[in-house]
Amino acid sequence: MDSHTVPQFITEDYLRQHFGMRQGGEIQLEPGTRFTPAAQQLLNERQITVRWRDEKGQVFVETAHSANQQHGCAQSTRLEKVHPLKSNNVRPSNGCMLCGSGVADKPALMTHLDDQVLVPKTHPRITLRGKLDSCISYCVLVQCEMRHQPELLQGFMADIRSYLGQILQAEVTGQALPEPMLGEFSSDTVHQWSHNPLKHLGHDHMLPDVIYGELVAQLNYLRALVRELELVATQVFIDHSMQLSSGGIDRNDIVAGLNRLSSAVYVVMILAWQCQNGQDSVLGGLAHGTA
């Protein structure tokens, strides 16, 4: 989200512009922020968790507790401080993947694969997480460069950033990963746009070229980073004991999700170029679902 004054009441349009509204996602706002009924309904429908972040960067979640009242117990909520990168304050255990024993002091050459197991930092899944970290960081830089682009494109970029975080969450926790969306548009729809952009978006395929300018170049580099992530994920999760023709891929959801995400970035790249050249009528069509 941009570093600007957040309105006291968050609207549905504000949520769509500044946050990724993926199913089961998470957003962070200042404590005391309230939502319009339509915004609250959107959060409920998408099952999006709201975490609260104060001016010191401390993160809080709402927890339910029972309060004694004159005529019995009433349920209310309060804010509980949690680790900024987690949803709880549980300290991970240090079980070594190599020897199976507990480790009193975590060595510098090892890190947590999850809350239970330590692995060497050369573990393939740790390499994948490092690539994800770099990709997320660059995605945020691109978001900063797009602050003056149309709201629809800003919302699309928020969806892309949110999905990268969801990939990391799914890889760490083992949760299933759905396919990405751009706003209300499904992965299949975005995939069709990317394969025939002239038909659906009014501009043909683009190759890297200085004539398109800095923003398009940044978006294209982000697309390339996502493609690189897809290749790394394939290397990490492929089952070499099976024939490739049999589809021996563990976590095919992550590999497939990255494949579709690169298409989404490519679509945003084409739309950004059109907007820079005053050919943004296609955005109006997308906003009204007529693309």
Side-chain angles (χ1 to χ4, degrees), residues 111-170:
T111 189
H112 281 96
L113 188 65
D114 51 35
D115 277 351
Q116 303 295 323
V117 179
L118 283 174
V119 295
K121 291 183 178 177
T122 54
H123 191 286
R125 284 174 60 187
I126 302 305
T127 300
L128 176 62
R129 291 177 194 177
K131 293 288 187 180
L132 269 167
D133 189 17
S134 298
C135 194
I136 290 171
S137 299
Y138 190 75
C139 184
V140 173
L141 287 175
V142 176
Q143 280 186 282
C144 292
E145 290 297 316
M146 293 188 67
R147 284 176 294 184
H148 302 297
Q149 294 294 314
E151 292 184 1
L152 185 65
L153 287 187
Q154 292 186 50
F156 284 175
M157 282 304 302
D159 289 329
I160 291 169
R161 162 63 187 92
S162 179
Y163 190 74
L164 283 168
Q166 190 176 18
I167 293 172
L168 183 58
Q169 182 184 47

Side-chain angles (χ1 to χ4, degrees), residues 6-25:
V6 179
Q8 183 178 6
F9 280 91
I10 299 295
T11 65
E12 179 182 359
D13 288 341
Y14 187 94
L15 285 175
R16 294 184 184 278
Q17 178 185 351
H18 292 89
F19 299 98
M21 290 286 99
R22 61 178 172 84
Q23 187 76 22

Side-chain angles (χ1 to χ4, degrees), residues 53-71:
R53 182 180 59 206
D54 66 13
E55 68 279 358
K56 296 181 179 180
Q58 299 179 107
V59 176
F60 303 83
V61 296
E62 287 187 352
T63 58
H65 74 287
S66 297
N68 290 325
Q69 302 290 335
Q70 183 177 0
H71 300 291

Side-chain angles (χ1 to χ4, degrees), residues 21-208:
M21 290 286 99
R22 61 178 172 84
Q23 187 76 22
E26 175 188 296
I27 63 174
Q28 293 189 7
L29 286 165
E30 298 176 1
T33 303
R34 291 180 286 179
F35 304 98
T36 63
Q40 187 64 62
Q41 181 179 354
L42 176 63
L43 293 173
N44 294 340
E45 290 176 348
R46 299 287 177 91
Q47 297 180 314
I48 294 173
T49 300
V50 179
R51 299 211 299 174
W52 310 100
R53 182 180 59 206
D54 66 13
E55 68 279 358
K56 296 181 179 180
Q58 299 179 107
V59 176
F60 303 83
V61 296
E62 287 187 352
T63 58
H65 74 287
S66 297
N68 290 325
Q69 302 290 335
Q70 183 177 0
H71 300 291
C73 292
Q75 199 76 7
S76 61
T77 61
R78 61 184 176 188
L79 295 183
E80 177 184 355
K81 186 176 180 297
V82 297
H83 191 284
L85 304 180
K86 300 171 60 179
S87 59
N88 58 55
N89 291 311
V90 177
R91 182 180 179 84
S93 59
N94 289 343
C96 178
M97 179 183 180
L98 299 178
C99 65
S101 302
V103 180
D105 296 312
K106 181 171 72 70
L109 295 178
M110 300 189 77
T111 189
H112 281 96
L113 188 65
D114 51 35
D115 277 351
Q116 303 295 323
V117 179
L118 283 174
V119 295
K121 291 183 178 177
T122 54
H123 191 286
R125 284 174 60 187
I126 302 305
T127 300
L128 176 62
R129 291 177 194 177
K131 293 288 187 180
L132 269 167
D133 189 17
S134 298
C135 194
I136 290 171
S137 299
Y138 190 75
C139 184
V140 173
L141 287 175
V142 176
Q143 280 186 282
C144 292
E145 290 297 316
M146 293 188 67
R147 284 176 294 184
H148 302 297
Q149 294 294 314
E151 292 184 1
L152 185 65
L153 287 187
Q154 292 186 50
F156 284 175
M157 282 304 302
D159 289 329
I160 291 169
R161 162 63 187 92
S162 179
Y163 190 74
L164 283 168
Q166 190 176 18
I167 293 172
L168 183 58
Q169 182 184 47
E171 192 280 322
V172 173
T173 65
Q175 296 174 356
L177 179 71
E179 292 188 337
M181 296 180 64
L182 286 183
E184 302 299 319
F185 299 104
S186 71
S187 176
D188 287 341
T189 297
V190 175
H191 190 62
Q192 291 174 13
W193 293 350
S194 69
H195 276 250
N196 196 343
L198 183 60
K199 174 183 177 181
H200 298 287
L201 305 177
H203 195 286
D204 214 340
H205 288 285
M206 301 171 65
L207 293 174

